[in-house]
Amino acid sequence: MDSKVMSLSEAVSRFVHDGMSVVMGTALEALIPFAAGFEIIRQGKRDLNLVGPISDILFDILVGAGVARKISAAWLGNVIAGSGYNIRRAAEQGVPVEVEMEDHSNFTIALALKAGAMAVPFLPTRTALGSDLVGSHLVPMSCPLTGQKLMAVRALEPDLAIIHMQRADDQGNGHLWGHSGITQDALLASSVTLVTCEELVSADVIRSDPNRCLVGGFKVKAVVPLAGACLPSSAQGVWNRDHSFYLEYHQQSKSLTGFQDWLKRWVLDTDHQGFLKLLGSERLERLKVKSPALAASVDYGY
């Protein structure tokens, strides 16, 4: 089979289109595909529906850059600091554009993607009953079997999933470990997947540990080997979270002009390699995992 390996710019150009629904940040605070999000901004994509449980400041940056028209999410902001100022400006002032909000809890968005993965229109649950989350995506219902009052969570089926993982082969079969969040359901619910990875490995490496293969290449359109593509978020066994980056962003994005200066420096006037250079070799070395904690070997013999 032909290799699916390509550059980040080519992958975003070919597979991210205006008006798409795109799910990112499915491992919660880890493995957030920041590099892909930044490339989406550089290429001027517009009117995206951003889907995710917690994409930390990535969604705030995308909103500030005018990329989003709608967000389906459980939480928005800056985890370490609180508010996401771009999201607040969009919600309160329509700056830079008005953004439609589809509010979820962490559990209901997980159920929505689970329903999408199962190819059913909704999943019933007791959660969110009595809350103000009710809307076209969360509808009170009565169980047809028992008459119990339930909430129907409408399925989410994103056009595209963008994920980062520790390693993948050239077909997109990949290993992801650590906290995976709702990644697997998001991948199965989405039409196609774009993968960035820390390391490109042979198919034999992936086949050697099938239980760690969270991503199947049959759903993957593009594989982008790009070390540090999750920074400033973490990747178990590779990178620690860059807490100072989030705090610096929080201060600089308080004002619109401050955010625009930040965006120009960190995103618009550079590429991923330039982003790493801006972080600096000393900072990158500090973020690298220093204390390996290897798992015990397993035997898949027969």
Side-chain angles (χ1 to χ4, degrees):
M1 290 185 287
D2 293 338
S3 172
K4 299 174 184 177
V5 174
M6 62 187 73
S7 69
L8 182 61
S9 60
E10 181 183 2
V12 169
S13 176
R14 289 178 61 181
F15 300 111
V16 182
H17 307 298
D18 292 354
M20 268 188 163
S21 55
V22 182
V23 59
M24 293 185 280
T26 56
L28 305 181
E29 294 173 39
L31 297 168
I32 298 173
F34 275 97
F38 291 171
E39 184 61 25
I40 287 170
I41 294 170
R42 293 186 197 104
Q43 294 193 18
K45 306 297 183 180
R46 289 293 182 267
D47 298 326
L48 299 186
N49 175 11
L50 304 177
V51 180
I54 296 174
S55 271
D56 217 316
I57 61 172
L58 179 56
F59 279 8
D60 193 68
I61 295 165
L62 290 165
V63 167
V67 168
R69 65 168 172 81
K70 181 179 179 180
I71 300 178
S72 303
W75 185 89
L76 299 167
N78 184 332
V79 168
I80 197 171
S83 286
Y85 291 110
N86 285 314
I87 290 164
R88 287 189 60 174
R89 281 188 284 268
E92 296 169 2
Q93 305 167 35
V95 175
V97 294
E98 291 187 7
V99 176
E100 179 185 351
M101 305 298 294
E102 182 176 289
D103 293 329
H104 280 272
S105 69
N106 277 322
F107 188 52
T108 64
I109 199 162
L111 286 175
L113 290 167
K114 170 71 79 175
M118 296 171 65
V120 297
F122 72 93
L123 282 176
T125 181
R126 291 189 179 91
T127 194
L129 286 170
S131 75
D132 63 356
L133 294 177
V134 174
S136 62
H137 60 302
L138 294 172
V139 181
M141 63 171 289
S142 295
C143 174
L145 300 176
T146 66
Q148 286 181 305
K149 188 176 181 180
L150 298 171
M151 189 75 81
V153 181
R154 185 186 297 274
L156 274 171
E157 297 175 297
D159 297 309
L160 176 68
I162 303 179
I163 65 164
H164 185 70
M165 61 180 55
Q166 284 89 341
R167 60 188 177 215
D169 65 21
D170 68 356
Q171 296 301 304
N173 302 295
H175 284 169
L176 182 158
W177 59 90
H179 184 23
S180 62
I182 57 174
T183 297
Q184 192 164 50
D185 283 334
L187 295 174
L188 292 173
S190 301
S191 297
V192 296
T193 300
L194 188 163
V195 165
T196 61
C197 61
E198 291 292 326
E199 182 184 13
L200 188 68
V201 298
S202 71
D204 288 341
V205 172
I206 302 300
R207 285 194 293 264
S208 73
D209 195 351
N211 284 6
R212 213 182 306 273
C213 188
L214 202 64
V215 181
F218 67 94
K219 293 294 292 277
V220 176
K221 291 292 187 181
V223 180
V224 180
L226 201 62
C230 63
L231 291 172
S233 70
S234 61
Q236 190 81 49
V238 186
W239 301 104
N240 287 307
R241 190 176 190 272
D242 189 350
H243 298 294
S244 61
F245 190 95
Y246 292 85
L247 292 171
E248 291 161 7
Y249 174 81
H250 185 68
Q251 292 300 317
Q252 293 173 36
S253 63
K254 280 185 176 180
S255 69
L256 181 58
T257 55
F259 168 74
Q260 290 170 338
D261 289 343
W262 182 96
L263 187 69
K264 187 175 187 297
R265 179 177 186 234
W266 288 96
V267 180
L268 296 176
D269 285 355
T270 189
D271 57 12
H272 181 63
Q273 295 308 316
F275 172 81
L276 296 181
K277 287 181 181 179
L278 284 172
L279 287 175
S281 57
E282 182 179 335
R283 190 171 186 171
L284 289 171
E285 188 61 32
R286 190 169 66 249
L287 292 172
K288 289 179 181 178
V289 167
K290 301 295 193 303
S291 303
L294 300 177
S297 61
V298 296
D299 187 348
Y300 290 103
Y302 54 90

